[in-house]
Amino acid sequence: MSNYIGKTIEELHELLVSKKVTPLELAKEVIEEIKRENTNAIETLAEKEALEFASSLNEVEEDNVFWGIPFVAKDNFATKDILTTASSDILKDYIPCFDATVIAKLKEKKAVLIAKTTLDELAMGGTGTTGHKGITYNPYDPTHTYKIGGSSCGSASIVAQGIVPFSLGSDTGDSVRKPASYAGLVGMKPSWGRISRYGLFPFAPSLDHVAYFTRTVKDAALVLNVLAGEDLSHDATSSINAVPDYLKDLEKSLNGKRIAYIKELNESIKDQPILDGMNKIKDIFVSLGASVEEVSIDLRLLAAIYPTYMIISCAEATSNNANLDGIKFGPRIGEEKTYQEVMMKARTAGFSELIKRRFVIGSYSLFKDNQEELFLRAQKIRRIVVNKVNEILSSYDAIVTPCGGIIRNPFISNDNISDKLDQGTMAIENHLAMGNFAGLPSISIPMGLDDGFPFDVNIMTKAFTESECFNIAYALESKLDLKNIYAKKVGE
Ligand code: GLN
């Protein structure tokens, strides 16, 4: 086994600075581990590019913690000269001629991109099963029965195996924060606009966020220090708010902080260890001088989050993916005579069932006769949810919730079963999308282990208070003994 498995960004930095390992040696080790990994987490291994870049890093940069640090990125970030498929057949040959801003920023910091990772096709989905390479497995489950979740499944798996210390993902509904829970990781989604989305393939731009995985809260703060910031020349939705040093407030006291638990969500938990975890965390908060109170959100409103999310995200997706038409993007199939035929054949062959179903939902809700009833209504419900969440956050510093109600989830698509679920299940399994509706910082961190399977708790704070979010997460992490866990370590 590699000597570098399970090391954090900080630990690897120390090894690199003291020359116990070089960026090239480290990149080679990581590549070997990735070749051996068996969760089907990789779309493209950028071996040649990674080795070339790592071997150019000869001058140690003591003040730059990212110097020589290996990472992987979800395959919906454009990477110059490296295949970028979004795990979809329609983009199976697409090689971008530019880097996404986040990739460029990490390159500038001399972090080494090792591979592109699998996702649910075009980031639509939460199961890690719908990408064109098939199922991505959970490294905590050698029996391959339970999902790692998605859509950022591959990026979650590689960090959960301890192979790299961080990875990039995207989060439109919960696609980083939910797999973080199944994989025992820190999953961070900052405020909408905090990180430039230039080069991230759009799914539903009013909800899309760049997000990422680490195994410690401190590493998560370090990563945001690099990724945050305006990028107006490329992404007009990126925020011009000043970027603080996210390490600064990590160790602040929680004394006097007011934490809200949501009663209806706690009542919807199915697995007892999750409820026990929430109770334990409450005691920790209290011991740190914070107070925890239960507040209410009508269960019907919580259960409405998923259908609302589906209408808005599918409508936006239908329109944003209109360029995947076999003309601008996607393979030309056969000798079609009209452009309609070109589009129809390319899209029929290029998309899986799930994507087609979502485009049908999106088109249907945008259809003139249905707009009022579906699209506009969904936007109104989104507003009600946002108002409710912001109202709670006007009296509390954070909303703390479980990431879901079940620890071990078998491979069934949300899309197939959601119409048969009860309100409690709908609410507890999909509420993290509140953070996308309102564009709030939201971090998942490990809260417990049940028979070797991890599960996370989520912390959400007011817009652009990432420092506060990290502060609360850091305090909890330091009391929970689940810092930097990864599959091999837990399995030992
Ligand atoms: N599970 C959600 C969906 O199915 C979230 C996807 C995401 O955040 N990209 O769309």
Side-chain angles (χ1 to χ4, degrees), residues 74 76 120 122-127 150-152 170-178 203 207-209 306 309-310 313-314 354 358 414-415 429-430 433 436:
K74 189 173 179 178
N76 58 351
D120 280 303
L122 297 169
M124 296 181 210
T127 58
S151 62
S152 311
S170 62
D171 189 311
T172 303
D174 55 20
S175 271
V176 160
R177 292 161 297 149
K178 198 81 188 281
F203 161 10
L207 300 162
D208 289 343
H209 296 67
Y306 187 66
Y309 166 82
M310 281 303 274
S313 68
C314 292
L354 177 133
R358 289 197 179 199
N414 241 357
D415 274 36
E429 296 309 328
N430 301 295
N436 305 72

PDB file of all heavy atoms in Angstrom, residues 74 76 120 122-127 150-152 170-178 203 207-209 306 309-310 313-314 354 358 414-415 429-430 433 436, ligand 1:
ATOM      1  N   LYS A  74     -14.447  16.039 -11.155  1.00  0.00           N
ATOM      2  CA  LYS A  74     -15.634  15.476 -11.805  1.00  0.00           C
ATOM      3  C   LYS A  74     -15.571  15.775 -13.306  1.00  0.00           C
ATOM      4  O   LYS A  74     -15.114  16.851 -13.711  1.00  0.00           O
ATOM      5  CB  LYS A  74     -16.852  16.137 -11.154  1.00  0.00           C
ATOM      6  CG  LYS A  74     -18.212  15.562 -11.512  1.00  0.00           C
ATOM      7  CD  LYS A  74     -19.279  16.248 -10.629  1.00  0.00           C
ATOM      8  CE  LYS A  74     -20.685  15.785 -10.911  1.00  0.00           C
ATOM      9  NZ  LYS A  74     -21.681  16.421 -10.016  1.00  0.00           N
ATOM     10  N   ASN A  76     -17.429  16.880 -15.403  1.00  0.00           N
ATOM     11  CA  ASN A  76     -18.224  17.951 -16.017  1.00  0.00           C
ATOM     12  C   ASN A  76     -17.532  19.309 -15.891  1.00  0.00           C
ATOM     13  O   ASN A  76     -18.170  20.343 -16.062  1.00  0.00           O
ATOM     14  CB  ASN A  76     -19.656  18.008 -15.462  1.00  0.00           C
ATOM     15  CG  ASN A  76     -19.705  18.204 -13.960  1.00  0.00           C
ATOM     16  OD1 ASN A  76     -18.679  18.138 -13.280  1.00  0.00           O
ATOM     17  ND2 ASN A  76     -20.887  18.456 -13.432  1.00  0.00           N
ATOM     18  N   ASP A 120     -23.191  10.793 -12.384  1.00  0.00           N
ATOM     19  CA  ASP A 120     -24.466  10.494 -13.022  1.00  0.00           C
ATOM     20  C   ASP A 120     -24.519  11.372 -14.268  1.00  0.00           C
ATOM     21  O   ASP A 120     -24.154  12.550 -14.210  1.00  0.00           O
ATOM     22  CB  ASP A 120     -25.628  10.824 -12.072  1.00  0.00           C
ATOM     23  CG  ASP A 120     -25.850   9.726 -11.043  1.00  0.00           C
ATOM     24  OD1 ASP A 120     -26.072   8.581 -11.443  1.00  0.00           O
ATOM     25  OD2 ASP A 120     -25.774  10.030  -9.838  1.00  0.00           O
ATOM     26  N   LEU A 122     -24.441  13.858 -17.011  1.00  0.00           N
ATOM     27  CA  LEU A 122     -24.672  15.309 -17.039  1.00  0.00           C
ATOM     28  C   LEU A 122     -25.000  15.882 -15.652  1.00  0.00           C
ATOM     29  O   LEU A 122     -25.621  16.936 -15.544  1.00  0.00           O
ATOM     30  CB  LEU A 122     -25.793  15.663 -18.032  1.00  0.00           C
ATOM     31  CG  LEU A 122     -25.518  15.315 -19.497  1.00  0.00           C
ATOM     32  CD1 LEU A 122     -26.795  15.456 -20.322  1.00  0.00           C
ATOM     33  CD2 LEU A 122     -24.418  16.192 -20.084  1.00  0.00           C
ATOM     34  N   ALA A 123     -24.612  15.168 -14.611  1.00  0.00           N
ATOM     35  CA  ALA A 123     -24.828  15.553 -13.200  1.00  0.00           C
ATOM     36  C   ALA A 123     -26.286  15.477 -12.771  1.00  0.00           C
ATOM     37  O   ALA A 123     -26.656  15.988 -11.722  1.00  0.00           O
ATOM     38  CB  ALA A 123     -24.260  16.940 -12.900  1.00  0.00           C
ATOM     39  N   MET A 124     -27.108  14.831 -13.599  1.00  0.00           N
ATOM     40  CA  MET A 124     -28.520  14.697 -13.214  1.00  0.00           C
ATOM     41  C   MET A 124     -28.709  13.336 -12.565  1.00  0.00           C
ATOM     42  O   MET A 124     -28.676  12.311 -13.233  1.00  0.00           O
ATOM     43  CB  MET A 124     -29.409  14.783 -14.463  1.00  0.00           C
ATOM     44  CG  MET A 124     -29.330  16.126 -15.133  1.00  0.00           C
ATOM     45  SD  MET A 124     -30.406  16.170 -16.566  1.00  0.00           S
ATOM     46  CE  MET A 124     -29.510  17.318 -17.588  1.00  0.00           C
ATOM     47  N   GLY A 125     -28.918  13.349 -11.256  1.00  0.00           N
ATOM     48  CA  GLY A 125     -29.134  12.072 -10.589  1.00  0.00           C
ATOM     49  C   GLY A 125     -28.456  12.055  -9.245  1.00  0.00           C
ATOM     50  O   GLY A 125     -27.646  12.939  -8.932  1.00  0.00           O
ATOM     51  N   GLY A 126     -28.805  11.064  -8.445  1.00  0.00           N
ATOM     52  CA  GLY A 126     -28.228  11.017  -7.113  1.00  0.00           C
ATOM     53  C   GLY A 126     -27.824   9.610  -6.719  1.00  0.00           C
ATOM     54  O   GLY A 126     -27.704   9.293  -5.542  1.00  0.00           O
ATOM     55  N   THR A 127     -27.574   8.769  -7.720  1.00  0.00           N
ATOM     56  CA  THR A 127     -27.346   7.360  -7.401  1.00  0.00           C
ATOM     57  C   THR A 127     -25.950   6.854  -7.758  1.00  0.00           C
ATOM     58  O   THR A 127     -25.529   5.811  -7.281  1.00  0.00           O
ATOM     59  CB  THR A 127     -28.354   6.468  -8.159  1.00  0.00           C
ATOM     60  OG1 THR A 127     -28.198   6.727  -9.564  1.00  0.00           O
ATOM     61  CG2 THR A 127     -29.783   6.779  -7.752  1.00  0.00           C
ATOM     62  N   GLY A 150     -24.776  10.222  -5.616  1.00  0.00           N
ATOM     63  CA  GLY A 150     -24.252  11.029  -6.714  1.00  0.00           C
ATOM     64  C   GLY A 150     -24.836  12.406  -6.661  1.00  0.00           C
ATOM     65  O   GLY A 150     -25.463  12.769  -5.679  1.00  0.00           O
ATOM     66  N   SER A 151     -24.637  13.184  -7.684  1.00  0.00           N
ATOM     67  CA  SER A 151     -24.029  12.739  -8.915  1.00  0.00           C
ATOM     68  C   SER A 151     -22.505  12.720  -8.918  1.00  0.00           C
ATOM     69  O   SER A 151     -21.894  12.120  -9.796  1.00  0.00           O
ATOM     70  CB  SER A 151     -24.515  13.639 -10.054  1.00  0.00           C
ATOM     71  OG  SER A 151     -24.111  14.988  -9.824  1.00  0.00           O
ATOM     72  N   SER A 152     -21.859  13.299  -7.897  1.00  0.00           N
ATOM     73  CA  SER A 152     -20.388  13.365  -7.921  1.00  0.00           C
ATOM     74  C   SER A 152     -19.779  12.084  -7.358  1.00  0.00           C
ATOM     75  O   SER A 152     -18.921  12.118  -6.469  1.00  0.00           O
ATOM     76  CB  SER A 152     -19.922  14.572  -7.113  1.00  0.00           C
ATOM     77  OG  SER A 152     -20.625  15.743  -7.480  1.00  0.00           O
ATOM     78  N   SER A 170     -19.779  18.994  -8.333  1.00  0.00           N
ATOM     79  CA  SER A 170     -20.748  20.069  -8.516  1.00  0.00           C
ATOM     80  C   SER A 170     -22.011  19.678  -7.769  1.00  0.00           C
ATOM     81  O   SER A 170     -22.278  18.487  -7.560  1.00  0.00           O
ATOM     82  CB  SER A 170     -21.042  20.288  -9.999  1.00  0.00           C
ATOM     83  OG  SER A 170     -21.613  19.123 -10.561  1.00  0.00           O
ATOM     84  N   ASP A 171     -22.750  20.686  -7.327  1.00  0.00           N
ATOM     85  CA  ASP A 171     -23.890  20.430  -6.446  1.00  0.00           C
ATOM     86  C   ASP A 171     -25.056  21.319  -6.879  1.00  0.00           C
ATOM     87  O   ASP A 171     -25.008  22.535  -6.728  1.00  0.00           O
ATOM     88  CB  ASP A 171     -23.454  20.731  -4.998  1.00  0.00           C
ATOM     89  CG  ASP A 171     -24.468  20.298  -3.956  1.00  0.00           C
ATOM     90  OD1 ASP A 171     -25.650  20.626  -4.122  1.00  0.00           O
ATOM     91  OD2 ASP A 171     -24.060  19.662  -2.954  1.00  0.00           O
ATOM     92  N   THR A 172     -26.084  20.695  -7.453  1.00  0.00           N
ATOM     93  CA  THR A 172     -27.260  21.411  -7.945  1.00  0.00           C
ATOM     94  C   THR A 172     -28.445  21.186  -7.011  1.00  0.00           C
ATOM     95  O   THR A 172     -29.314  22.048  -6.864  1.00  0.00           O
ATOM     96  CB  THR A 172     -27.591  20.928  -9.380  1.00  0.00           C
ATOM     97  OG1 THR A 172     -26.438  21.136 -10.193  1.00  0.00           O
ATOM     98  CG2 THR A 172     -28.773  21.668  -9.982  1.00  0.00           C
ATOM     99  N   GLY A 173     -28.451  19.968  -6.380  1.00  0.00           N
ATOM    100  CA  GLY A 173     -29.521  19.647  -5.437  1.00  0.00           C
ATOM    101  C   GLY A 173     -28.925  19.144  -4.133  1.00  0.00           C
ATOM    102  O   GLY A 173     -29.417  19.452  -3.049  1.00  0.00           O
ATOM    103  N   ASP A 174     -27.860  18.375  -4.250  1.00  0.00           N
ATOM    104  CA  ASP A 174     -27.135  17.828  -3.089  1.00  0.00           C
ATOM    105  C   ASP A 174     -25.971  16.954  -3.547  1.00  0.00           C
ATOM    106  O   ASP A 174     -25.426  16.174  -2.779  1.00  0.00           O
ATOM    107  CB  ASP A 174     -28.074  17.018  -2.176  1.00  0.00           C
ATOM    108  CG  ASP A 174     -28.829  15.880  -2.888  1.00  0.00           C
ATOM    109  OD1 ASP A 174     -28.375  15.445  -3.971  1.00  0.00           O
ATOM    110  OD2 ASP A 174     -29.867  15.415  -2.357  1.00  0.00           O
ATOM    111  N   SER A 175     -25.590  17.081  -4.797  1.00  0.00           N
ATOM    112  CA  SER A 175     -24.686  16.119  -5.444  1.00  0.00           C
ATOM    113  C   SER A 175     -23.292  15.984  -4.877  1.00  0.00           C
ATOM    114  O   SER A 175     -22.552  15.079  -5.253  1.00  0.00           O
ATOM    115  CB  SER A 175     -24.546  16.438  -6.929  1.00  0.00           C
ATOM    116  OG  SER A 175     -25.548  15.770  -7.644  1.00  0.00           O
ATOM    117  N   VAL A 176     -22.908  16.878  -3.971  1.00  0.00           N
ATOM    118  CA  VAL A 176     -21.663  16.666  -3.232  1.00  0.00           C
ATOM    119  C   VAL A 176     -22.001  16.323  -1.783  1.00  0.00           C
ATOM    120  O   VAL A 176     -21.452  15.382  -1.202  1.00  0.00           O
ATOM    121  CB  VAL A 176     -20.738  17.903  -3.316  1.00  0.00           C
ATOM    122  CG1 VAL A 176     -19.702  17.910  -2.201  1.00  0.00           C
ATOM    123  CG2 VAL A 176     -20.026  17.914  -4.666  1.00  0.00           C
ATOM    124  N   ARG A 177     -22.959  17.025  -1.209  1.00  0.00           N
ATOM    125  CA  ARG A 177     -23.215  16.869   0.228  1.00  0.00           C
ATOM    126  C   ARG A 177     -23.867  15.533   0.566  1.00  0.00           C
ATOM    127  O   ARG A 177     -23.704  15.023   1.673  1.00  0.00           O
ATOM    128  CB  ARG A 177     -24.062  18.046   0.717  1.00  0.00           C
ATOM    129  CG  ARG A 177     -23.287  19.364   0.671  1.00  0.00           C
ATOM    130  CD  ARG A 177     -24.194  20.547   0.711  1.00  0.00           C
ATOM    131  NE  ARG A 177     -25.057  20.578  -0.455  1.00  0.00           N
ATOM    132  CZ  ARG A 177     -26.287  21.069  -0.479  1.00  0.00           C
ATOM    133  NH1 ARG A 177     -26.810  21.551   0.638  1.00  0.00           N
ATOM    134  NH2 ARG A 177     -27.010  21.075  -1.585  1.00  0.00           N
ATOM    135  N   LYS A 178     -24.590  14.933  -0.372  1.00  0.00           N
ATOM    136  CA  LYS A 178     -25.219  13.636  -0.099  1.00  0.00           C
ATOM    137  C   LYS A 178     -24.211  12.493  -0.284  1.00  0.00           C
ATOM    138  O   LYS A 178     -24.064  11.680   0.630  1.00  0.00           O
ATOM    139  CB  LYS A 178     -26.438  13.473  -1.016  1.00  0.00           C
ATOM    140  CG  LYS A 178     -27.451  12.422  -0.602  1.00  0.00           C
ATOM    141  CD  LYS A 178     -28.408  12.910   0.479  1.00  0.00           C
ATOM    142  CE  LYS A 178     -29.289  11.797   1.027  1.00  0.00           C
ATOM    143  NZ  LYS A 178     -30.425  11.431   0.191  1.00  0.00           N
ATOM    144  N   PHE A 203     -26.141  22.607 -15.649  1.00  0.00           N
ATOM    145  CA  PHE A 203     -27.274  21.683 -15.522  1.00  0.00           C
ATOM    146  C   PHE A 203     -28.489  22.569 -15.272  1.00  0.00           C
ATOM    147  O   PHE A 203     -29.395  22.649 -16.106  1.00  0.00           O
ATOM    148  CB  PHE A 203     -26.949  20.690 -14.408  1.00  0.00           C
ATOM    149  CG  PHE A 203     -28.102  19.936 -13.797  1.00  0.00           C
ATOM    150  CD1 PHE A 203     -29.385  19.949 -14.342  1.00  0.00           C
ATOM    151  CD2 PHE A 203     -27.894  19.158 -12.650  1.00  0.00           C
ATOM    152  CE1 PHE A 203     -30.439  19.235 -13.754  1.00  0.00           C
ATOM    153  CE2 PHE A 203     -28.939  18.446 -12.062  1.00  0.00           C
ATOM    154  CZ  PHE A 203     -30.213  18.501 -12.619  1.00  0.00           C
ATOM    155  N   LEU A 207     -29.365  26.951  -9.739  1.00  0.00           N
ATOM    156  CA  LEU A 207     -29.111  26.057  -8.599  1.00  0.00           C
ATOM    157  C   LEU A 207     -27.676  25.507  -8.573  1.00  0.00           C
ATOM    158  O   LEU A 207     -27.231  24.984  -7.545  1.00  0.00           O
ATOM    159  CB  LEU A 207     -30.063  24.851  -8.661  1.00  0.00           C
ATOM    160  CG  LEU A 207     -31.566  25.122  -8.627  1.00  0.00           C
ATOM    161  CD1 LEU A 207     -32.346  23.917  -9.141  1.00  0.00           C
ATOM    162  CD2 LEU A 207     -32.008  25.477  -7.218  1.00  0.00           C
ATOM    163  N   ASP A 208     -26.981  25.594  -9.703  1.00  0.00           N
ATOM    164  CA  ASP A 208     -25.644  24.959  -9.814  1.00  0.00           C
ATOM    165  C   ASP A 208     -24.598  25.651  -8.946  1.00  0.00           C
ATOM    166  O   ASP A 208     -24.529  26.881  -8.907  1.00  0.00           O
ATOM    167  CB  ASP A 208     -25.131  25.048 -11.262  1.00  0.00           C
ATOM    168  CG  ASP A 208     -25.872  24.154 -12.245  1.00  0.00           C
ATOM    169  OD1 ASP A 208     -26.564  23.225 -11.809  1.00  0.00           O
ATOM    170  OD2 ASP A 208     -25.728  24.389 -13.473  1.00  0.00           O
ATOM    171  N   HIS A 209     -23.771  24.844  -8.317  1.00  0.00           N
ATOM    172  CA  HIS A 209     -22.639  25.360  -7.545  1.00  0.00           C
ATOM    173  C   HIS A 209     -21.422  24.474  -7.794  1.00  0.00           C
ATOM    174  O   HIS A 209     -21.570  23.249  -7.881  1.00  0.00           O
ATOM    175  CB  HIS A 209     -22.882  25.264  -6.031  1.00  0.00           C
ATOM    176  CG  HIS A 209     -24.006  26.072  -5.497  1.00  0.00           C
ATOM    177  ND1 HIS A 209     -25.325  25.828  -5.796  1.00  0.00           N
ATOM    178  CD2 HIS A 209     -24.004  27.123  -4.645  1.00  0.00           C
ATOM    179  CE1 HIS A 209     -26.082  26.697  -5.141  1.00  0.00           C
ATOM    180  NE2 HIS A 209     -25.311  27.492  -4.442  1.00  0.00           N
ATOM    181  N   TYR A 306     -38.586  18.383  -3.293  1.00  0.00           N
ATOM    182  CA  TYR A 306     -38.121  17.548  -4.412  1.00  0.00           C
ATOM    183  C   TYR A 306     -38.896  17.795  -5.709  1.00  0.00           C
ATOM    184  O   TYR A 306     -38.270  18.062  -6.751  1.00  0.00           O
ATOM    185  CB  TYR A 306     -38.124  16.058  -4.025  1.00  0.00           C
ATOM    186  CG  TYR A 306     -37.501  15.196  -5.094  1.00  0.00           C
ATOM    187  CD1 TYR A 306     -36.134  15.311  -5.390  1.00  0.00           C
ATOM    188  CD2 TYR A 306     -38.255  14.286  -5.822  1.00  0.00           C
ATOM    189  CE1 TYR A 306     -35.554  14.547  -6.385  1.00  0.00           C
ATOM    190  CE2 TYR A 306     -37.677  13.510  -6.820  1.00  0.00           C
ATOM    191  CZ  TYR A 306     -36.336  13.646  -7.094  1.00  0.00           C
ATOM    192  OH  TYR A 306     -35.749  12.893  -8.092  1.00  0.00           O
ATOM    193  N   TYR A 309     -37.855  21.129  -6.976  1.00  0.00           N
ATOM    194  CA  TYR A 309     -36.502  21.012  -7.535  1.00  0.00           C
ATOM    195  C   TYR A 309     -36.542  20.372  -8.921  1.00  0.00           C
ATOM    196  O   TYR A 309     -35.867  20.819  -9.859  1.00  0.00           O
ATOM    197  CB  TYR A 309     -35.631  20.185  -6.578  1.00  0.00           C
ATOM    198  CG  TYR A 309     -34.352  19.720  -7.206  1.00  0.00           C
ATOM    199  CD1 TYR A 309     -33.251  20.566  -7.286  1.00  0.00           C
ATOM    200  CD2 TYR A 309     -34.245  18.444  -7.756  1.00  0.00           C
ATOM    201  CE1 TYR A 309     -32.078  20.155  -7.898  1.00  0.00           C
ATOM    202  CE2 TYR A 309     -33.085  18.022  -8.370  1.00  0.00           C
ATOM    203  CZ  TYR A 309     -32.004  18.880  -8.436  1.00  0.00           C
ATOM    204  OH  TYR A 309     -30.845  18.472  -9.059  1.00  0.00           O
ATOM    205  N   MET A 310     -37.346  19.326  -9.049  1.00  0.00           N
ATOM    206  CA  MET A 310     -37.407  18.616 -10.335  1.00  0.00           C
ATOM    207  C   MET A 310     -37.936  19.523 -11.444  1.00  0.00           C
ATOM    208  O   MET A 310     -37.378  19.558 -12.539  1.00  0.00           O
ATOM    209  CB  MET A 310     -38.284  17.357 -10.226  1.00  0.00           C
ATOM    210  CG  MET A 310     -37.590  16.193  -9.578  1.00  0.00           C
ATOM    211  SD  MET A 310     -36.068  15.695 -10.408  1.00  0.00           S
ATOM    212  CE  MET A 310     -36.722  14.584 -11.642  1.00  0.00           C
ATOM    213  N   SER A 313     -35.212  22.373 -12.026  1.00  0.00           N
ATOM    214  CA  SER A 313     -33.943  21.899 -12.584  1.00  0.00           C
ATOM    215  C   SER A 313     -34.142  21.276 -13.965  1.00  0.00           C
ATOM    216  O   SER A 313     -33.328  21.469 -14.864  1.00  0.00           O
ATOM    217  CB  SER A 313     -33.250  20.927 -11.629  1.00  0.00           C
ATOM    218  OG  SER A 313     -33.967  19.720 -11.523  1.00  0.00           O
ATOM    219  N   CYS A 314     -35.238  20.546 -14.161  1.00  0.00           N
ATOM    220  CA  CYS A 314     -35.454  19.934 -15.483  1.00  0.00           C
ATOM    221  C   CYS A 314     -35.733  21.006 -16.530  1.00  0.00           C
ATOM    222  O   CYS A 314     -35.262  20.911 -17.666  1.00  0.00           O
ATOM    223  CB  CYS A 314     -36.593  18.917 -15.443  1.00  0.00           C
ATOM    224  SG  CYS A 314     -36.196  17.454 -14.475  1.00  0.00           S
ATOM    225  N   LEU A 354     -32.823   8.267 -18.287  1.00  0.00           N
ATOM    226  CA  LEU A 354     -33.059   9.260 -17.232  1.00  0.00           C
ATOM    227  C   LEU A 354     -33.011  10.678 -17.801  1.00  0.00           C
ATOM    228  O   LEU A 354     -33.854  11.519 -17.494  1.00  0.00           O
ATOM    229  CB  LEU A 354     -32.018   9.098 -16.121  1.00  0.00           C
ATOM    230  CG  LEU A 354     -32.110  10.117 -14.983  1.00  0.00           C
ATOM    231  CD1 LEU A 354     -32.024   9.435 -13.628  1.00  0.00           C
ATOM    232  CD2 LEU A 354     -31.047  11.187 -15.083  1.00  0.00           C
ATOM    233  N   ARG A 358     -36.018  13.454 -18.004  1.00  0.00           N
ATOM    234  CA  ARG A 358     -35.911  14.796 -17.411  1.00  0.00           C
ATOM    235  C   ARG A 358     -36.139  15.896 -18.457  1.00  0.00           C
ATOM    236  O   ARG A 358     -36.728  16.927 -18.149  1.00  0.00           O
ATOM    237  CB  ARG A 358     -34.577  14.949 -16.706  1.00  0.00           C
ATOM    238  CG  ARG A 358     -34.529  14.115 -15.438  1.00  0.00           C
ATOM    239  CD  ARG A 358     -33.418  14.565 -14.532  1.00  0.00           C
ATOM    240  NE  ARG A 358     -33.391  13.773 -13.314  1.00  0.00           N
ATOM    241  CZ  ARG A 358     -32.791  14.155 -12.206  1.00  0.00           C
ATOM    242  NH1 ARG A 358     -32.185  15.308 -12.143  1.00  0.00           N
ATOM    243  NH2 ARG A 358     -32.795  13.379 -11.157  1.00  0.00           N
ATOM    244  N   ASN A 414     -33.654   7.381  -7.608  1.00  0.00           N
ATOM    245  CA  ASN A 414     -34.625   8.309  -7.052  1.00  0.00           C
ATOM    246  C   ASN A 414     -35.743   8.580  -8.051  1.00  0.00           C
ATOM    247  O   ASN A 414     -36.905   8.658  -7.713  1.00  0.00           O
ATOM    248  CB  ASN A 414     -33.921   9.659  -6.834  1.00  0.00           C
ATOM    249  CG  ASN A 414     -33.928  10.059  -5.394  1.00  0.00           C
ATOM    250  OD1 ASN A 414     -34.505   9.362  -4.565  1.00  0.00           O
ATOM    251  ND2 ASN A 414     -33.293  11.169  -5.084  1.00  0.00           N
ATOM    252  N   ASP A 415     -35.323   8.733  -9.324  1.00  0.00           N
ATOM    253  CA  ASP A 415     -36.273   9.089 -10.367  1.00  0.00           C
ATOM    254  C   ASP A 415     -37.383   8.062 -10.508  1.00  0.00           C
ATOM    255  O   ASP A 415     -38.494   8.376 -10.883  1.00  0.00           O
ATOM    256  CB  ASP A 415     -35.551   9.181 -11.718  1.00  0.00           C
ATOM    257  CG  ASP A 415     -34.967  10.562 -11.905  1.00  0.00           C
ATOM    258  OD1 ASP A 415     -34.526  11.127 -10.899  1.00  0.00           O
ATOM    259  OD2 ASP A 415     -34.975  11.054 -13.036  1.00  0.00           O
ATOM    260  N   GLU A 429     -34.884  12.886   2.544  1.00  0.00           N
ATOM    261  CA  GLU A 429     -33.908  12.507   1.514  1.00  0.00           C
ATOM    262  C   GLU A 429     -33.551  13.639   0.558  1.00  0.00           C
ATOM    263  O   GLU A 429     -32.587  13.519  -0.194  1.00  0.00           O
ATOM    264  CB  GLU A 429     -34.394  11.288   0.720  1.00  0.00           C
ATOM    265  CG  GLU A 429     -34.533  10.002   1.538  1.00  0.00           C
ATOM    266  CD  GLU A 429     -33.283   9.649   2.352  1.00  0.00           C
ATOM    267  OE1 GLU A 429     -32.162   9.945   1.913  1.00  0.00           O
ATOM    268  OE2 GLU A 429     -33.448   9.094   3.462  1.00  0.00           O
ATOM    269  N   ASN A 430     -34.320  14.705   0.554  1.00  0.00           N
ATOM    270  CA  ASN A 430     -34.078  15.748  -0.465  1.00  0.00           C
ATOM    271  C   ASN A 430     -33.965  17.168   0.066  1.00  0.00           C
ATOM    272  O   ASN A 430     -33.833  18.103  -0.715  1.00  0.00           O
ATOM    273  CB  ASN A 430     -35.205  15.706  -1.512  1.00  0.00           C
ATOM    274  CG  ASN A 430     -35.287  14.356  -2.202  1.00  0.00           C
ATOM    275  OD1 ASN A 430     -34.366  13.970  -2.916  1.00  0.00           O
ATOM    276  ND2 ASN A 430     -36.365  13.620  -1.962  1.00  0.00           N
ATOM    277  N   ALA A 433     -31.485  20.354  -0.818  1.00  0.00           N
ATOM    278  CA  ALA A 433     -31.691  21.287  -1.938  1.00  0.00           C
ATOM    279  C   ALA A 433     -32.127  22.669  -1.458  1.00  0.00           C
ATOM    280  O   ALA A 433     -32.031  23.637  -2.210  1.00  0.00           O
ATOM    281  CB  ALA A 433     -32.710  20.723  -2.919  1.00  0.00           C
ATOM    282  N   ASN A 436     -29.521  24.971  -2.106  1.00  0.00           N
ATOM    283  CA  ASN A 436     -29.394  25.412  -3.505  1.00  0.00           C
ATOM    284  C   ASN A 436     -30.467  26.443  -3.835  1.00  0.00           C
ATOM    285  O   ASN A 436     -30.203  27.425  -4.523  1.00  0.00           O
ATOM    286  CB  ASN A 436     -29.493  24.220  -4.458  1.00  0.00           C
ATOM    287  CG  ASN A 436     -28.480  23.146  -4.131  1.00  0.00           C
ATOM    288  OD1 ASN A 436     -28.625  22.458  -3.121  1.00  0.00           O
ATOM    289  ND2 ASN A 436     -27.452  23.019  -4.940  1.00  0.00           N
TER     290      ASN A 436
HETATM  291  N1  GLN B   1     -29.987  14.167  -6.799  1.00  0.00           N
HETATM  292  C1  GLN B   1     -30.284  15.409  -7.453  1.00  0.00           C
HETATM  293  C2  GLN B   1     -30.796  15.122  -8.856  1.00  0.00           C
HETATM  294  O1  GLN B   1     -31.139  14.015  -9.067  1.00  0.00           O
HETATM  295  C3  GLN B   1     -29.084  16.294  -7.380  1.00  0.00           C
HETATM  296  C4  GLN B   1     -28.236  16.416  -8.579  1.00  0.00           C
HETATM  297  C5  GLN B   1     -27.119  17.410  -8.421  1.00  0.00           C
HETATM  298  O2  GLN B   1     -26.966  18.051  -7.382  1.00  0.00           O
HETATM  299  N2  GLN B   1     -26.343  17.586  -9.501  1.00  0.00           N
HETATM  300  O3  GLN B   1     -30.879  15.957  -9.720  1.00  0.00           O
END
